[in-house]
Amino acid sequence: MKTFKVLGGGCRNCEVTAEAIAHAAAEAGVEIALEKVTDMAEILGYGVMSTPAVVLDGTVVHAGGVPASEQIRDWVSG
């Protein structure tokens, strides 16, 4: 099972990113763990300076905006 973390302060773009990841996983029939991280110390611990950011299995794979749908599908199915 893949583990996703959406890093951000809870802004609309962070919510959209988390919803898009959950939707892509449901469409693909893939079980994932999805966590929203709003603690700034934890976010900065990943070296992220702009949110939303996405962490996949412990590695930052995106930062600074809502990722493209194709990119999300690749993360979920890859």
Side-chain angles (χ1 to χ4, degrees):
M1 175 171 31
K2 295 181 181 193
T3 302
F4 287 90
K5 291 184 180 185
V6 176
L7 312 180
C11 68
R12 181 70 187 136
N13 283 344
C14 298
E15 294 296 324
V16 167
T17 299
E19 290 168 9
I21 292 169
H23 181 74
E27 274 191 343
V30 174
E31 188 176 342
I32 64 166
L34 178 60
E35 177 184 353
K36 296 178 196 171
V37 177
T38 58
D39 179 66
M40 287 310 293
E42 187 174 350
I43 292 169
L44 292 174
Y46 282 100
V48 170
M49 299 305 284
S50 60
T51 61
V54 179
V55 176
L56 172 57
D57 294 331
T59 302
V60 176
V61 293
H62 181 83
V66 177
S69 298
E70 302 81 36
Q71 191 174 24
I72 294 171
R73 283 193 295 271
D74 287 346
W75 295 333
V76 168
S77 62

